[in-house]
Each structure stands twice: as structure tokens, then as C-alpha cells.
Amino acid sequence: MLNTVARNSKNLKTKYGNLRNIVSLAEPKQPKVVTDIPGPRSKELLSRLRNIQQTGSVQLFADYEKSIGNYLIDVDGNILLDTYTQISSVPLGYNHPALLNTFKNEKNIKTLINRPALGVFPGENWPEKLESILQKVSPGLPNLTTMMCGSCSNENAYKNMFIAYQTKRRGENDFSKEELESSLINTPPGAPRLSILSFKNAFHGRTLGALSTTHSKAIHKLDFPSFDWPIADFPKYQYPLHQHVAENSKEDDRCLEQVEDLIEKYKKLNNSVAGVVIEPIQSEGGDNEASPEFFQRLQKICKSNEVYLLIDEVQTGGGPTGKFWCHEHFNLESSPDVVTFSKKMQLGGYFHTKELSPKLPYRVFNTWMGDPGKLLMLETIINVANDQNLLKNVRETGDHLKKNLIEIESEFSHLINSTRGRGTFLAINAKTTQLRDHILDKLKQRGIQSGGCGDNAIRLRPALIFETKHADIFLDSFRNVLIELNK
Amino acid sequence: MLNTVARNSKNLKTKYGNLRNIVSLAEPKQPKVVTDIPGPRSKELLSRLRNIQQTGSVQLFADYEKSIGNYLIDVDGNILLDTYTQISSVPLGYNHPALLNTFKNEKNIKTLINRPALGVFPGENWPEKLESILQKVSPGLPNLTTMMCGSCSNENAYKNMFIAYQTKRRGENDFSKEELESSLINTPPGAPRLSILSFKNAFHGRTLGALSTTHSKAIHKLDFPSFDWPIADFPKYQYPLHQHVAENSKEDDRCLEQVEDLIEKYKKLNNSVAGVVIEPIQSEGGDNEASPEFFQRLQKICKSNEVYLLIDEVQTGGGPTGKFWCHEHFNLESSPDVVTFSKKMQLGGYFHTKELSPKLPYRVFNTWMGDPGKLLMLETIINVANDQNLLKNVRETGDHLKKNLIEIESEFSHLINSTRGRGTFLAINAKTTQLRDHILDKLKQRGIQSGGCGDNAIRLRPALIFETKHADIFLDSFRNVLIELNK
């Protein structure tokens, strides 16, 4: 039946409504934990995988045939309500019927298996797919480069900023002979000293360029050579926000002054800042948020210094904050110069201004330049999200979650604090790292898959189909864990 | 009928033989050019795509529903014999029935659409898939890290080398407080000065770390900051090899002396070489080959200097040289420390020694850590290649191609020279860049899709299913182009 629904494209839009119910009906009613986690079967698989690779980060082995909707089911039969969704990368939950149907279509299978070098031999429908899927969700930016993951999206977006910055410096001149030759041996002027300004606790990826702008945890960085690029403080707010307006506004001032000083300092060091990269909410680094005013002022500083502004929406993009892009909450006077994405978007990439589009080919290029198969998945995701008004669902579920988290916080203020975030992209701090880890463990024992970030934050990253009924299961478990810890 | 064949896994092995014939029967008998290339429909699509992105590298738009086997069919109905295969990334040609069937299987579709964060929640069959697919083709290395593309495979492999190098330096000690703190702000000792030695004309990718080891073309490098890492000369041989044994052996000496000198020099500069990265045949840089003796001696130099050796098989891996890995031609005394792959392998990654496996989790990590959907494609590819003995086909077709290219070279030695390569991974130089580009154009007008590399090389990168009958079509066209140019 589902096949007929999804194949009949005329009816697709109206029928997605039913699909939501079908997911909902197929979902377990609640979590159920039947073994330790990892259970015996997961442990068996772990010891097998350990022969091949480092497995210290593996929490469990999942049964992706059985997992459904908001429920991750593991190989030991544990049924977990998933508020973490593969590090925030699963927008429609598991085994959504519309996604299952995406590849029950011969045309789409052919797109999947005939993966082109998109920069040289794109398929006939590539321009149309970019227009009808990605351009439709563009944050007001005309140009678009597709990639495969968050790190390579940021790395390549940095390259666009470097090119545009040097192009402006160079004016109408061609590359000099000296530039052409020196670039090949990694030295100026062809490989110039230029920098990207980033923020403390930021996370922008783990390849060596992106990693030079990542400062979330030492374990991500130790032993790797790094570019000498400037790092400014990211605001650290006091909560609740409405009780600390003056302090937090001063914090914005302090951090923005640092940005201006660093731009000045690195210019003098002959290592000018070509671009600033920032997350709208710092995710891996602890779900740190900054005010719309902070971002508005940051954009002004960038403009007045002729420095490009890249907003990294790899974790925030695709709807979890209740708007498609988190920075849409900030009322910026114009779009940022670049917006990068990945995770929920399935493929990586970035939207950018015309100015950031290289004038010559092969400057930003690689074999695949993205993946049409992933774009087909994104097409389904966006269609379902539109048809079912999932952003509205995110806002409603998020409001419900946040309101209740604040209540729980006030009840257990000696254990937890600083409820924050937008949509269902929410976090709350535990007093200590140890307590945080303990809460995550206890939640898992009650069938809640959640995640931590920063030193002591619990972060929520549910799918866009996470409803208030799911939120209530989480809230109930969370409260019970705290009651237990309180005894 | 094909569905039944591929779904019936008991018969799968014996039935692949028939699939080859089916591809062969479905293929056009020969190329056919009916418009300019790009034709009117391609031009229309180009102008549409140009609104969104830089399109200077796009040659044509392909019809991936109609393309079949070794024939790329474009949107204007031109039928091109493909000797370039999406920059060497399509091992079984277009629309191979076995690949089409891979996703006509509900279990595989579920693997495809439920993409896990493999480092945290792998699926039940992940260890088994790694063992039965990737470990089976390992070049004698016990450990394996999966990634998504060539650049991120090299970048992350460099990180493994840096970690192992520093771990050895550090001995039994934990990270110091100073290391932990300094790493977060991009400075030594936590973010140490360490380097990767690479070779002139090398290509290892385009993210900023990988790009610091790439030296193929200025346009890949201009305007991007780079690490100060050492670069040695890669041998430039005189052809035919058997007539220049002494000169070429001296060339090996010269380049290897540079390697030793640079390792010494960078140690003194407090920027020690942790690893050496090299392609078994330099691809983008001009299809430059080096002798087995060169690689054997390079490995000895690495060992005696306690520097790791990474062989980058992103373009050479997966069979096109007639062995699964090109470096298997070199009779090294032991496996290299790391071997990276991507392209024909569909997903990226690297095999490595136990010593290069990080002792702590999250040091080499990202959200997806590869893609199980791509591994399913690789499974089919390897099964088909084994069943149909495609490496033997590559050797036979390659021998036939090379023998005939050498004959054509001797006939037109004033235009072309230096036929070289292994298997069907072959190249020949034109006298000038202009002549090379002209030959590529003329070939395309005759329905041959080929590619260039370096300053003046024509490179052949056909699929593993490219047979002598296809080679003859190429050879015939190539000879006719040269006759025409000779007039």
C-alpha cells in the first residue's frame, strides 16, 4: 500500500499526512530496557569490531531493521526513545515509509548507483534538483556548492573566502609568476598567510583546516599541527536570560571587542583574517548560545573590516530550532556570506554570495562534489517536513519541553541549571561532569538515548517528528532520575 | 528476470557470469556522435546551472538512465565510449544489473536510509560487513578506518600518523597539562610542529591539510594558506624504460637522497617528519611512475628514520593496475603503514597497522565515519569482480592496449611519447599541452571520452569491464586522430 502511495506523485503531498500516522502507529508505545546497555549481543559484536578498529566510542549496536520512528532498537531488544538521533542527523526518525519508498523507484536507484563526478558530468536532472530542493531552502543566498560532510563543507567554504579575499586584494591583475610558483611549494605569496577567526569552544570539523577553528575538547586536537589563527571568546551567559540582561549584554561587548582586536592584531602580524566562522548555537562545545544582537553586531564588524562571515549550520540546520536555519532567529540585516550544512541535510554543502563564487573553475573542486543519492533523501525529507508542518511540530514540542525543563530545573536547582536553546534543540547543565554522565547513564537505563556536550551539558537532539507525547516520556524519565539522585 | 537472479543469493556467484554478457549485449556496438559536445541540451542545462554555481569544469550533462556498461550517453544522444569513468570512480560501468539489484532488497534499502553514526551506534551487520568485504581486500594490514572521500581519508590518516608519532615520543606519560591547554589554542606543545613529507606533482586531496601535500597544479593551491611541510622530487623517468635503466636508477638515487636530506633538515627545523605520503603512480600530476626499487628503498628510509609510510591508493586502488592495490606490484618487504582508498571503492577509508590505531576513542572521529550504503555497493562490485575475474580482464586488456599504444607511439613519435602504466591505468604524453588538449577534443568528436593529467598526458581510466573490443575502438580512434593531425 505504501508503495502505491509514494509512487503516485500526484497524491504524494496529501498522502504524507497519513504516513505520519503510520509511523506513529508502528512505534512502540514506550521505551523498554531488557538488558544492560551494551547488552550481551552488543558486547559480542564490540569484541569483534575491536579486532578491526578503535571502538571506545561505541555505545551499542543497533537493529536498523526494527528501529522505527523515534525509537532506536538495539540488537539485545532494548527499545530506546532516541533524543540524540545519530548526533542530530536523522530528521524523520528510523524507517520512515516515505524514505523507504524513495529507492523503490527505478529512476532513483539509477541515480544512486551511477554516481557522477558532478563537477564534470552532472546528470540531466541535477540543475532541477538543486533548484527544487536546495535552492528552495536557501537562506537568501544565490550560490551553492555541494559537498559530502560538515568538515569538507567548512574547509571548502574557507577556501571560497580565501579566494574572494585575495581576489579583492589582487584587483584586476592576473596571478603573478611568483604566486603561481610559490603556491606549489606551500609558500607566500601564492600560499599566503591568511587566517579564519573562530571562537573558543567552537566545533567546525576535524580535518586539519577545520580543526584549526575547532576548540571544543583537547582530545579532538592533541598532537595535530595547527594553523596560527585567531580565537575569540564566545559569550558565556548567565541564566535565566531575562534575569541577567545587563551582565549578558556586557559579555557580548567583551567578546565582540576581542573580535575587533584580533582582526586588528592579525592584520599587523601579516596574517589577516579573511573570514569569521561561528555556530549559531555552539553544539559540541556545550550548547552555548549568543543573542541575536551579538550576531547582528558581529556581522557589522565583519562588514566594516571587509571580512566574510560564515555561519556553520551543520548541526543547527534543517529545522531543529523551529526555523529551517537557526540564524533566521537573529534578524540579521542581510544574509551571512556563507552558510554551511550537513547532518540532517544528508549531504554537505554551503550556500554563499555571488562574490564568494570563484571566477575560475577547478579552484574548489573534487571528484564527487556531493552525492545525488543523498539529495534524493533530502528531497523526501523536505517534502515530508513541509507537508506535515514539522517545523511547527518542532516549535510546539520544543516549547512544551523547555517549559517543563525549566520547571524541573527549579525543582532540582541544586543539581541542574541553565535550561536553554530553541525549538527542540535544547540543553540543560548538570552541576558537574560526573553528575552529567551519571544522569545520561540513568536515562539510558530507563530507555532514553540522550547525549552530552561540553563539560556538563545534556543536549536534546530529537528528530523533527518528536512530538509532545515523546517529550513527556523524556520529561518523566528525567524527573525520575533526578528524584532518584536526590534520595 | 534479473531481479530473480540477484535476489537468489545461492545462485548469485554462478549467475554473475551471465550478467557480464547481459551488460555486453545491452551496450551499443560503438560510439556515435550526433551533435557538438556539449550539445544544445547540455548547453541549456549549463546556463541553468551557471546561475547556481561555477560550471567551468562541466563537459556535458549525462543521461544516467540510458548510459550502459562502458558507454556514457549524454543528454543530446551522443554515445561516448568512456575511458575516463567519472575520474576513475566507476568500476563496473553504468547501470550494471548487479548494482541495480543491490537496492532492490528491503534489507539493503533499510541500511541505506538509516545511516548511523558508525562510531557510536553501528548496525548489527557492520563488523561482519567490514570483515567480509573490506578486510578481505586488505593489503596485509589488520586495522581499518572508514571515511567518505579521498581527502578526508588522507587527512585522517595523517592524524593517525601524528598521534602514533607523538605517542612514541611521549612514552608512558599522560598528556601534560600544558599539552591539554595549548592544543585548544592551536599552539605547541599540544598542537606540535610536525610535518608530512610529500612529493612534487603529488595529489592527495584539497582540504587544507591534504592540500599541503598536493603539488599537481597551481590552480589547486593558489590563495590558500598552507603548512610548511617538506616536498621532495618524484622521479622523472626517461622512456622507454628498458632503454634508460641507468639514468632512471640515478634519478631514483637523486630523489631518495632528497627524502633523506629533507627528513634531516626538518628535524633540525623542529618540524619533524611524522609520515611520508606517496601515490604508487602519481595521477593528477601526470601519471608519473616510479620503480619498485624506488618504493622498496623509500620504505627502508622511512623505517630507519622512524617515519610512517602512507601509500595513497585513492586513484590506483580497486583493480585498474591489474592487481587490487597498485603497490602490490612493488614487492615491498612488508605492508606500508597506511593505505588510503576511495573512488572505485565507493566509500573512503584506510587500512593501517595496529601501531597506528589510536589508544583512546574520539581522536579520529566524525559524525558518520563512512557510509554503509556505499559499502553495499562495494560488496556487489567486489563480488562481480571476483566472479568474473575482472582483474585478469584488466591485465589482458591492459597488455593489449599498451602493446598497441607503443606501436602507435613509434608511428607518431614526433607527436606522442612515453607510453607507460600498469593494467589499463595507462598514459601517453603529447609533445605539448596544446597538442594534448587538441587530441582530447578530437577524440571526443569521435565519441571517445578521455581525460588529461599533468601538463601534457592523456590518461586512460576505463572501468574494470573494459575489454579488448573496447580497447580496439579507442586505439582505432586514437590512431585516426593522429593521422588527421599528421596531415
Side-chain angles (χ1 to χ4, degrees):
Chain A
M1 196 275 279
L2 285 179
N3 288 10
T4 329
V5 171
R7 277 189 186 154
N8 188 340
S9 60
K10 278 186 204 160
N11 294 331
L12 201 61
K13 206 173 144 56
T14 51
K15 295 293 172 100
Y16 274 135
N18 297 336
L19 294 183
R20 183 164 175 189
N21 295 340
I22 288 165
V23 173
S24 203
L25 284 173
E27 269 189 347
K29 292 280 160 285
Q30 60 201 25
K32 188 175 172 188
V33 174
V34 294
T35 71
D36 289 342
I37 301 174
R41 175 73 180 134
S42 271
K43 282 186 182 156
E44 193 182 308
L45 291 165
L46 254 177
S47 72
R48 216 165 137 185
L49 190 58
R50 206 173 289 126
N51 293 327
I52 306 175
Q53 53 194 210
Q54 165 49 257
T55 55
S57 54
V58 173
Q59 295 191 19
L60 55 81
F61 283 80
D63 184 335
Y64 290 111
E65 288 192 71
K66 291 198 190 130
S67 295
I68 179 79
N70 293 284
Y71 287 88
L72 178 70
I73 300 181
D74 80 2
V75 292
D76 290 285
N78 298 299
I79 300 171
L80 303 170
L81 178 67
D82 195 355
T83 69
Y84 191 48
T85 60
Q86 312 293 329
I87 322 180
S88 203
S89 65
V90 180
L92 298 185
Y94 301 101
N95 285 311
H96 195 286
L99 279 172
L100 281 171
N101 276 322
T102 301
F103 296 105
K104 284 182 178 156
N105 164 327
E106 180 94 358
K107 193 179 160 89
N108 286 355
I109 288 193
K110 287 189 167 183
T111 297
L112 186 69
I113 66 158
N114 294 299
R115 187 178 185 186
L118 286 166
V120 196
F121 310 101
E124 178 159 28
N125 67 1
W126 187 240
E128 191 275 327
K129 291 282 180 194
L130 291 182
E131 287 162 7
S132 69
I133 306 167
L134 281 168
Q135 292 295 89
K136 281 267 173 66
V137 296
S138 167
L141 290 164
N143 287 91
L144 168 62
T145 304
T146 50
M147 288 282 155
M148 286 165 65
C149 71
S151 287
C152 68
S153 300
N154 282 326
E155 286 259 352
N156 281 284
Y158 296 173
K159 289 170 62 173
N160 285 64
M161 298 197 291
F162 290 132
I163 291 171
Y165 191 87
Q166 290 294 86
T167 302
K168 222 190 256 178
R169 269 195 184 174
R170 196 177 283 118
E172 295 298 304
N173 300 321
D174 272 344
F175 303 118
S176 69
K177 185 163 176 284
E178 206 190 344
E179 282 177 320
L180 290 165
E181 287 170 1
S182 60
S183 71
L184 285 171
I185 51 167
N186 298 5
T187 55
R193 279 169 55 83
L194 279 181
S195 59
I196 302 290
L197 184 146
S198 56
F199 290 84
K200 281 191 189 145
N201 298 307
F203 184 95
H204 300 292
R206 288 164 168 268
T207 46
L208 295 181
L211 193 63
S212 295
T213 58
T214 286
H215 318 283
S216 40
K217 293 204 179 74
I219 201 71
H220 302 161
K221 307 252 304 168
L222 280 157
D223 297 342
F224 307 136
S226 182
F227 288 107
D228 169 22
W229 289 353
I231 311 159
D233 282 351
F234 190 89
K236 279 199 179 157
Y237 289 158
Q238 295 178 50
Y239 287 85
L241 293 177
H242 64 272
Q243 288 176 20
H244 298 90
V245 173
E247 296 95 317
N248 292 342
S249 167
K250 266 195 194 159
E251 176 68 356
D252 282 357
D253 295 344
R254 187 182 70 81
C255 296
L256 290 167
E257 267 168 40
Q258 274 194 17
V259 171
E260 291 191 285
D261 291 349
L262 284 167
I263 291 175
E264 203 50 47
K265 179 180 165 192
Y266 272 72
K267 189 181 285 174
K268 284 183 189 148
L269 287 169
N270 188 28
N271 192 5
S272 292
V273 175
V276 167
V277 61
I278 190 165
E279 295 152 280
I281 298 174
Q282 285 191 331
S283 306
E284 303 301 309
D287 269 33
N288 310 310
E289 54 187 4
S291 65
E293 295 71 29
F294 175 85
F295 283 94
Q296 291 160 15
R297 290 169 62 194
L298 179 64
Q299 186 177 43
K300 284 201 173 67
I301 291 170
C302 287
K303 285 187 180 177
S304 69
N305 286 280
E306 300 201 338
V307 161
Y308 298 107
L309 176 62
L310 185 168
I311 297 201
D312 174 348
E313 295 253 20
V314 168
Q315 188 150 166
T316 47
T321 68
K323 292 189 187 270
F324 199 89
W325 304 107
C326 182
H327 76 266
E328 294 176 279
H329 290 283
F330 302 157
N331 293 312
L332 299 178
E333 64 172 25
S334 61
S335 296
D337 300 286
V338 198
V339 174
T340 55
F341 58 82
S342 184
K343 288 189 180 265
K344 282 194 172 57
M345 302 289 282
Q346 311 302 305
L347 84 167
Y350 47 105
F351 296 99
H352 55 91
T353 59
K354 187 91 191 150
E355 181 178 345
L356 282 175
S357 209
K359 279 166 200 56
L360 295 170
Y362 293 110
R363 303 204 66 185
V364 171
F365 184 87
N366 57 48
T367 299
W368 285 313
M369 293 296 290
D371 186 344
K374 302 295 180 205
L375 192 56
L376 293 177
M377 287 180 63
L378 179 62
E379 179 174 38
T380 299
I381 290 163
I382 291 178
N383 283 342
V384 171
N386 284 340
D387 189 62
Q388 303 189 355
N389 213 344
L390 290 183
L391 294 199
K392 182 160 167 269
N393 178 60
V394 166
R395 290 190 293 271
E396 285 169 2
T397 308
D399 288 349
H400 179 73
L401 261 173
K402 195 171 187 179
K403 190 177 101 228
N404 281 279
L405 279 175
I406 289 170
E407 273 180 27
I408 297 177
E409 177 186 333
S410 70
E411 198 180 341
F412 300 94
S413 58
H414 54 298
L415 297 176
I416 52 170
N417 60 69
S418 307
T419 300
R420 61 198 180 278
R422 296 175 185 278
T424 56
F425 198 102
L426 299 172
I428 190 163
N429 286 355
K431 280 270 150 132
T432 64
T433 305
Q434 198 192 6
L435 177 62
R436 188 268 313 271
D437 293 345
H438 199 56
I439 292 172
L440 295 181
D441 272 356
K442 291 272 177 195
L443 280 170
K444 187 168 271 179
Q445 287 167 24
R446 288 172 178 271
I448 308 288
Q449 177 65 52
S450 52
C453 63
D455 288 335
N456 53 0
I458 296 155
R459 62 172 153 172
L460 293 178
R461 296 291 185 275
L464 307 181
I465 59 164
F466 197 77
E467 299 178 50
T468 51
K469 69 175 180 184
H470 304 108
D472 285 336
I473 295 172
F474 168 78
L475 290 163
D476 194 48
S477 300
F478 187 51
R479 200 166 172 279
N480 282 324
V481 165
L482 294 169
I483 289 171
E484 212 179 301
L485 286 168
N486 215 19
K487 273 180 189 163
Chain B
M1 198 275 277
L2 284 180
N3 287 10
T4 329
V5 171
R7 276 190 185 152
N8 188 342
S9 59
K10 279 184 204 162
N11 295 331
L12 202 61
K13 206 173 144 57
T14 51
K15 296 292 172 100
Y16 274 136
N18 296 336
L19 294 182
R20 185 165 174 187
N21 295 340
I22 289 164
V23 173
S24 203
L25 285 172
E27 269 189 346
K29 292 280 161 282
Q30 59 200 27
K32 188 175 172 189
V33 175
V34 293
T35 72
D36 288 343
I37 301 173
R41 176 71 178 134
S42 271
K43 281 187 182 155
E44 193 182 308
L45 291 165
L46 253 178
S47 72
R48 213 164 139 186
L49 189 59
R50 204 174 290 126
N51 292 327
I52 307 175
Q53 53 194 212
Q54 166 50 253
T55 55
S57 54
V58 173
Q59 295 191 20
L60 54 81
F61 284 80
D63 184 334
Y64 290 111
E65 288 192 72
K66 290 199 191 129
S67 296
I68 180 79
N70 293 284
Y71 286 89
L72 178 70
I73 300 182
D74 80 3
V75 292
D76 290 285
N78 297 298
I79 300 172
L80 303 170
L81 178 67
D82 195 354
T83 70
Y84 190 48
T85 60
Q86 312 293 330
I87 321 181
S88 203
S89 66
V90 180
L92 299 184
Y94 300 101
N95 286 311
H96 195 285
L99 281 172
L100 282 171
N101 275 324
T102 301
F103 295 105
K104 282 180 179 157
N105 163 327
E106 180 94 359
K107 193 179 161 88
N108 286 355
I109 288 193
K110 287 190 167 183
T111 296
L112 185 71
I113 66 157
N114 294 298
R115 187 179 185 186
L118 286 166
V120 196
F121 310 100
E124 178 159 28
N125 66 2
W126 187 240
E128 191 274 328
K129 291 282 180 194
L130 291 182
E131 287 162 8
S132 69
I133 307 167
L134 280 167
Q135 293 294 89
K136 282 266 173 67
V137 296
S138 167
L141 289 164
N143 287 93
L144 168 62
T145 304
T146 51
M147 287 282 155
M148 287 163 67
C149 71
S151 287
C152 69
S153 300
N154 282 326
E155 287 260 351
N156 281 283
Y158 296 174
K159 289 170 64 173
N160 286 63
M161 298 196 291
F162 289 131
I163 291 171
Y165 191 88
Q166 290 295 84
T167 302
K168 222 190 257 178
R169 269 193 184 176
R170 197 177 283 118
E172 295 298 304
N173 300 322
D174 272 346
F175 303 117
S176 68
K177 186 163 175 283
E178 206 190 345
E179 281 178 319
L180 289 165
E181 287 170 2
S182 60
S183 72
L184 285 170
I185 52 167
N186 298 7
T187 55
R193 278 169 54 83
L194 279 180
S195 60
I196 302 290
L197 184 146
S198 56
F199 290 85
K200 281 192 189 143
N201 297 307
F203 185 94
H204 301 291
R206 289 164 167 269
T207 46
L208 295 181
L211 192 64
S212 294
T213 58
T214 286
H215 318 283
S216 40
K217 293 204 179 74
I219 200 72
H220 302 161
K221 308 254 303 170
L222 279 157
D223 297 343
F224 308 135
S226 182
F227 289 107
D228 168 21
W229 289 354
I231 310 158
D233 282 351
F234 190 89
K236 279 199 179 156
Y237 289 158
Q238 294 177 52
Y239 287 84
L241 293 178
H242 65 274
Q243 289 177 18
H244 297 89
V245 174
E247 297 94 318
N248 292 342
S249 168
K250 266 195 194 160
E251 176 68 356
D252 282 357
D253 295 344
R254 187 183 71 80
C255 296
L256 290 166
E257 267 167 41
Q258 275 194 15
V259 171
E260 290 191 285
D261 291 349
L262 284 167
I263 291 175
E264 203 49 47
K265 179 180 166 191
Y266 273 71
K267 190 182 283 174
K268 284 183 187 144
L269 287 170
N270 188 29
N271 192 4
S272 291
V273 175
V276 167
V277 61
I278 191 164
E279 294 152 279
I281 298 174
Q282 286 192 331
S283 306
E284 303 302 309
D287 269 33
N288 310 311
E289 53 187 4
S291 66
E293 295 70 31
F294 174 86
F295 283 95
Q296 291 160 15
R297 290 169 63 194
L298 179 65
Q299 186 177 43
K300 285 200 174 68
I301 292 170
C302 288
K303 284 187 181 177
S304 68
N305 285 280
E306 300 201 337
V307 161
Y308 299 106
L309 176 62
L310 186 168
I311 297 202
D312 174 348
E313 294 253 21
V314 168
Q315 189 151 164
T316 47
T321 68
K323 291 189 186 270
F324 199 90
W325 303 107
C326 182
H327 76 267
E328 294 175 280
H329 289 284
F330 302 157
N331 293 312
L332 299 178
E333 64 172 27
S334 60
S335 295
D337 299 287
V338 198
V339 174
T340 53
F341 59 82
S342 185
K343 289 191 181 263
K344 282 195 173 56
M345 303 289 282
Q346 311 301 306
L347 84 168
Y350 46 106
F351 296 99
H352 55 90
T353 59
K354 187 90 191 152
E355 182 179 344
L356 282 176
S357 208
K359 280 166 198 59
L360 295 171
Y362 294 110
R363 303 204 68 185
V364 171
F365 184 87
N366 58 47
T367 299
W368 285 312
M369 294 296 289
D371 186 344
K374 301 295 180 205
L375 193 56
L376 293 177
M377 287 179 64
L378 178 62
E379 180 175 36
T380 299
I381 289 163
I382 291 178
N383 284 341
V384 170
N386 284 339
D387 189 62
Q388 302 190 356
N389 213 344
L390 289 183
L391 294 198
K392 183 162 167 271
N393 178 60
V394 167
R395 290 190 294 270
E396 286 169 3
T397 308
D399 288 349
H400 179 73
L401 262 173
K402 196 171 186 179
K403 189 177 101 242
N404 281 279
L405 278 176
I406 289 169
E407 273 180 26
I408 297 176
E409 178 186 333
S410 69
E411 198 179 342
F412 299 94
S413 58
H414 54 297
L415 298 176
I416 52 171
N417 60 69
S418 308
T419 300
R420 61 199 179 277
R422 296 174 184 279
T424 56
F425 199 103
L426 299 172
I428 191 163
N429 286 354
K431 280 269 152 136
T432 65
T433 305
Q434 198 192 6
L435 176 62
R436 188 269 312 272
D437 293 346
H438 199 57
I439 292 172
L440 295 181
D441 272 357
K442 290 272 178 198
L443 281 170
K444 186 168 273 179
Q445 287 167 24
R446 289 172 178 270
I448 309 288
Q449 177 64 52
S450 52
C453 63
D455 289 335
N456 53 0
I458 296 155
R459 62 172 154 174
L460 293 179
R461 297 291 185 275
L464 307 181
I465 59 164
F466 196 77
E467 300 177 49
T468 50
K469 68 175 181 184
H470 304 108
D472 285 337
I473 294 172
F474 167 78
L475 289 163
D476 194 47
S477 299
F478 187 50
R479 199 167 172 279
N480 281 325
V481 164
L482 294 169
I483 289 172
E484 211 179 302
L485 285 169
N486 215 19
K487 274 180 188 160

